[in-house]
Amino acid sequence: MNIAKKVPHKIILPEDKIPQQWYNLRADMTTKPAPMLNPATGEPATVADISPVFCEALAKQELDDTTPYFDIPDEVRDFLAIYRPSPLVRAYELEKALGTPAKIYFKYEGNNTSGSHKLNSAAAQVYYAKQQGLTSLTTETGAGQWGTALSMASAHFGIDLEVYMVKVSYEQKPFRKAVMQTFGAGITASPSDTTSVGRTILAERPGTGGSLGCAISEAVEKAMGTENCRYVLGSVLNQVLLHQSIIGLEAKAAFELIDEYPDIIVGCTGGGSNLGGLIAPFMRDKIQGKHNPTFIAMEPASCPSMTRGRFAYDFCDTGRITPMAKMYTLGCGFIPAPNHAGGLRYHGMSPIISQLYHDGLLDEARGVVQTDVFEAATLFARCETILPAPESAHAIRGAIDEALRCKETGEAKTILFGLTGTGYFDMNAYQSYHNGTMKDYVPTDEELAAGFASLPQLTTSA
Amino acid sequence: MNIAKKVPHKIILPEDKIPQQWYNLRADMTTKPAPMLNPATGEPATVADISPVFCEALAKQELDDTTPYFDIPDEVRDFLAIYRPSPLVRAYELEKALGTPAKIYFKYEGNNTSGSHKLNSAAAQVYYAKQQGLTSLTTETGAGQWGTALSMASAHFGIDLEVYMVKVSYEQKPFRKAVMQTFGAGITASPSDTTSVGRTILAERPGTGGSLGCAISEAVEKAMGTENCRYVLGSVLNQVLLHQSIIGLEAKAAFELIDEYPDIIVGCTGGGSNLGGLIAPFMRDKIQGKHNPTFIAMEPASCPSMTRGRFAYDFCDTGRITPMAKMYTLGCGFIPAPNHAGGLRYHGMSPIISQLYHDGLLDEARGVVQTDVFEAATLFARCETILPAPESAHAIRGAIDEALRCKETGEAKTILFGLTGTGYFDMNAYQSYHNGTMKDYVPTDEELAAGFASLPQLTTSA
């Protein structure tokens, strides 16, 4: 093996190829995602409707489905330059271990202290908040990557931050809190008694481990009750997918440098920010008939919004105080089992991803159990020297399964997957996998039915 | 701030500038480090003497003080290409926070799963072991970076590994073990009952938290009693500094790209591998009269081998089974206080670093207490978005102090420091710093005297 004779292990974009604009996939979608609805009126939400929650520039990005490109502000590009461009990596060792003729590439977003791609949107959201003269922000975090990312961006741009952290993650990941504190953020385990929605949920389910939906409710309530404060969210929203398009734009530019194009693109999905960002420019090619890659979304079998959910209007939060979005959802009352490791525990799915899946442009969604995910994670780590996040390992599982299918058929397909981040704060889960105590969990039809019962009245099922 | 108008935040070497050889500083030293001694004979150790412990290629590198350059084998370069070149980063935000006219750069070695520069030597050592047909390796680890690095390299090249982990780190860093296990390594807390030296130490000091010196003894004993097995060490040795020279070579090449040269170079020192690697090519310039940078070694006040130790022959391990090296040492019986966070807990110091310090070429060594170190770490994290390892934060402390001195004098000096790695597994220490329970510790003269009493008989003090 000699690096001079083949595609290098890492493809890193030169400075002049680094994207200067975000790409808004909605502008090129034939069927646009259904509009967000104001729950009070049942009418499509306007910028004025959502401006009490989001800062203005972000509210505009959220609702704009016609502008294809947005300039990345200089200050945001400066911040991104700290850890970007992220490498596109050829997984030679994994290919060898699998004995596959497939070429496996991954876009690696873990080389920053937040340990994930979440920093891409955190940088943008904090910048716009600061520009608007806000003095503080609230947010929720599940696995902790988003909270860490936002803490980092808030420290950089100089704005206060309060993070509502899903209680089960708060307990499973004691050190995530210390990292966020190092960056100066305040942390509250959710549900908490600091908000009325938190107190209500605690009264109804005293032992709950919480959920992203519930933490969102608390963070929104807190933001709306605090002067010069807004709420920011790390996934699901259109604005987040816009900021995350940098992943796909860089990946596509890197493939151009080596004169390749992926046949299969795999990403993990919780709220959809990584998959949405990764596939955006490749999906444009598919919509415009230039290329026909296969897109695969990997989700946990324990929180199967795409594979077992409904395509319906739902609240984005458990407390039912946000606008409603049309998306694949398990119902805003669904809370995944506490033994589910890591993130990807959101009840819904990005409206953009949901629409693409509904229209067959996103080809397939697959639910996988966590022991299969950690098996893939461990093999990947030993081959490629990166300890993956459990979330990312869902995508690894999908890529490995595709590579093994290529081995059966003899096809030398090019597979791209998104490696969203690192698993340094998930060692409890790795330990339970290694010592055999990790359990898989798949919700029963009855449990799902209970979640669907929480869907709002105007719901039309798919 | 616009990245187009100034030195970029990160300088990353293009492929054609990546070093293809390691640099052996000893070849250019006027006064060579004193030879390692065979403790049985008191004579300089030969390749034959040390080959039962080290594999042959490494034994030769260990004793060679005349060959200035060694080719990096292709397989090692391929491995290094997974995570190298590492960036040289301009710490603009830290400069701004300090209000200093100084230009601060750091060479960042944390962008790999081991979280530190240790992987540079692990790759080389495992490669040569595999080449020689060995089937297993043993080693020790303190803070865990070396053990993780060696686990990663062992998984990559396909060789078994048993890690003796200093007990206090084993307990302070529960998740380090899980990471090494993910890469397939076996882990034993040291001192242990698996070796006779471990049993002896346990009998003498039942409650000991262990030390690197003790873990080394156990790993060496285990290797010598196992067929086709050798011992590998992550610091102190000449061969390790040779492999780590890639840090300095890359840094120097990066400075050439931006037409700069550092006035002050700061590194943390435990066994000396990082500082030795970082300064190697710059020290050559100083020896050859081409440049005159100031070199500063930062060590913990709780384990002050350079600032309060003796320049004397000593064993490299607590169990007194290794060859003896002439170095700054606290005595092989010295064990730092258990409340000391992180690594940098070795009783001695690289013979190369020791000789340079003794000769005044390494200008200064400074001992710092850990609360001052974590203060620097926290400021750095908030400015530069990287969560530093406590070890690395010693260097940050030194760089900040130099930058503040420049602020007083108005000098726009160029400061380079080595950021050896990340602190993801040191959150207990960060927590204790944030909640105010972290205590500083400086050994008394009596405690140091007890350590010096453990120096071997032929000792000549400096």
Side-chain angles (χ1 to χ4, degrees), chain A residues 6-11 87-95 100-108 251 254-267 278 282 380 384 395-396 398-400 403 412-419:
Chain A
K6 57 180 189 187
V7 171
H9 186 278
K10 282 181 302 194
I11 303 106
L88 178 70
V89 184
R90 173 81 182 266
Y92 282 113
E93 297 296 322
L94 180 62
E95 291 172 14
T100 178
K103 289 177 276 186
I104 308 176
Y105 291 86
F106 60 92
K107 179 71 170 164
Y108 179 44
F255 273 117
E256 279 162 13
L257 285 182
I258 55 169
D259 205 21
E260 285 244 34
Y261 198 94
D263 301 304
I264 301 167
I265 302 177
V266 185
L278 177 68
F282 300 102
F380 178 81
E384 296 296 325
I396 297 174
I400 287 176
K413 292 201 171 172
T414 298
I415 301 168
L416 165 65
F417 72 90
L419 189 72

Side-chain angles (χ1 to χ4, degrees), chain B residues 28-272:
Chain B
D28 290 314
M29 287 170 71
T30 316
T31 309
K32 311 277 186 192
M36 212 178 250
L37 298 185
N38 180 331
T41 63
E43 295 297 313
T46 63
V47 169
D49 284 340
I50 63 175
S51 287
V53 182
F54 304 121
C55 75
E56 280 170 41
L58 294 167
K60 284 182 191 157
Q61 290 180 355
E62 188 62 31
L63 300 184
D64 188 332
D65 62 7
T66 55
T67 306
Y69 290 95
F70 287 82
D71 287 343
I72 307 176
D74 279 354
E75 291 83 348
V76 177
R77 289 180 57 215
D78 280 356
F79 185 90
L80 296 179
I82 294 174
Y83 65 99
R84 303 199 73 82
S86 74
L88 178 70
V89 184
R90 173 81 182 265
Y92 283 112
E93 296 296 322
L94 180 62
E95 292 170 16
K96 203 161 61 180
L98 296 173
T100 179
K103 291 177 274 187
I104 307 176
Y105 291 86
F106 59 92
K107 179 71 171 164
Y108 180 43
E109 293 289 316
N111 267 350
N112 68 78
T113 286
S114 81
S116 85
H117 69 296
K118 298 279 184 178
L119 196 52
N120 301 330
S121 185
Q125 294 194 51
V126 174
Y127 165 75
Y128 288 120
K130 187 74 181 176
Q131 282 294 102
Q132 190 175 318
L134 301 181
T135 51
S136 68
L137 294 171
T138 69
T139 197
E140 85 300 327
T141 199
Q145 287 104 329
W146 170 245
T148 308
L150 202 66
S151 303
M152 290 165 62
S154 296
H156 180 90
F157 288 107
I159 198 164
D160 288 342
L161 174 66
E162 186 66 33
V163 179
Y164 286 87
M165 186 169 188
V166 177
K167 191 179 279 175
V168 63
S169 292
Y170 186 93
E171 287 162 0
Q172 277 177 1
K173 302 186 172 191
F175 296 147
R176 270 285 179 196
K177 191 174 65 168
V179 177
M180 291 186 266
Q181 284 170 335
T182 300
F183 286 95
I187 324 289
T188 304
S190 169
S192 76
D193 61 5
T194 67
T195 65
S196 65
V197 65
R199 289 187 291 271
T200 303
I201 292 169
L202 279 176
E204 285 169 6
R205 310 186 188 191
T208 180
S211 69
L212 265 189
C214 165
I216 293 171
S217 299
E218 291 206 81
V220 171
E221 181 184 324
K222 181 79 173 182
M224 293 182 71
T226 307
E227 203 176 354
N228 272 326
C229 181
R230 288 293 184 284
Y231 164 71
V232 292
L233 177 64
S235 190
V236 183
L237 298 173
N238 300 326
Q239 61 189 268
V240 176
L241 270 72
L242 175 70
H243 306 147
Q244 295 295 359
S245 67
I246 193 149
I247 302 173
L249 293 166
E250 282 186 5
K252 190 157 180 264
F255 273 117
E256 281 162 12
L257 285 181
I258 55 170
D259 205 22
E260 285 242 37
Y261 197 95
D263 301 303
I264 300 167
I265 302 177
V266 186
C268 62
T269 46

Side-chain angles (χ1 to χ4, degrees), chain A residues 113, chain B residues 376-378 380-381 386-390 392-393 396 419 421-424 426 430:
Chain A
T113 286
Chain B
T378 301
F380 178 83
I386 293 171
L387 183 83
S392 321
I396 297 172
L419 189 73
T422 49
Y424 300 116
D426 301 284
Y430 273 95

Side-chain angles (χ1 to χ4, degrees), chain A residues 39-295:
Chain A
T41 63
E43 294 298 311
T46 63
V47 169
D49 284 339
I50 64 175
S51 289
V53 182
F54 305 120
C55 75
E56 280 170 41
L58 294 167
K60 283 182 192 156
Q61 290 180 357
E62 188 60 33
L63 300 185
D64 186 334
D65 61 6
T66 55
T67 306
Y69 289 95
F70 287 83
D71 286 342
I72 306 176
D74 279 353
E75 290 84 347
V76 176
R77 288 180 58 214
D78 280 357
F79 185 90
L80 297 179
I82 294 175
Y83 65 98
R84 304 200 72 83
S86 74
L88 178 70
V89 184
R90 173 81 182 266
Y92 282 113
E93 297 296 322
L94 180 62
E95 291 172 14
K96 203 162 65 181
L98 296 173
T100 178
K103 289 177 276 186
I104 308 176
Y105 291 86
F106 60 92
K107 179 71 170 164
Y108 179 44
E109 294 289 316
N111 268 350
N112 69 76
T113 286
S114 82
S116 85
H117 69 294
K118 297 280 183 176
L119 197 51
N120 301 330
S121 185
Q125 294 195 49
V126 174
Y127 165 76
Y128 287 120
K130 187 74 182 177
Q131 281 295 103
Q132 191 175 316
L134 301 181
T135 52
S136 68
L137 294 171
T138 69
T139 196
E140 85 302 325
T141 198
Q145 286 105 328
W146 170 245
T148 308
L150 202 66
S151 303
M152 291 165 62
S154 296
H156 180 89
F157 288 106
I159 199 164
D160 288 341
L161 173 66
E162 186 65 34
V163 179
Y164 286 86
M165 186 170 187
V166 177
K167 191 179 279 176
V168 64
S169 293
Y170 186 94
E171 286 162 1
Q172 278 176 3
K173 302 188 173 188
F175 295 148
R176 270 286 180 196
K177 190 175 64 167
V179 178
M180 290 187 267
Q181 284 170 335
T182 300
F183 287 95
I187 324 288
T188 304
S190 168
S192 76
D193 60 6
T194 67
T195 64
S196 66
V197 64
R199 288 189 291 271
T200 303
I201 292 168
L202 279 175
E204 284 170 5
R205 309 187 190 191
T208 179
S211 69
L212 266 189
C214 165
I216 292 171
S217 298
E218 291 206 79
V220 171
E221 181 184 325
K222 180 80 173 183
M224 293 182 72
T226 307
E227 202 177 354
N228 271 326
C229 181
R230 289 294 185 284
Y231 164 72
V232 292
L233 175 64
S235 190
V236 185
L237 298 173
N238 300 327
Q239 61 189 266
V240 177
L241 269 72
L242 174 70
H243 307 148
Q244 295 295 359
S245 67
I246 193 151
I247 303 173
L249 292 166
E250 282 186 5
K252 188 155 181 265
F255 273 117
E256 279 162 13
L257 285 182
I258 55 169
D259 205 21
E260 285 244 34
Y261 198 94
D263 301 304
I264 301 167
I265 302 177
V266 185
C268 62
T269 45
S273 72
N274 160 65
L275 184 75
L278 177 68
I279 69 176
F282 300 102
M283 184 61 83
R284 179 186 49 197
D285 288 348
K286 185 162 181 157
I287 291 171
Q288 296 180 347
K290 292 179 183 163
H291 288 277
N292 193 24
T294 300
F295 298 102

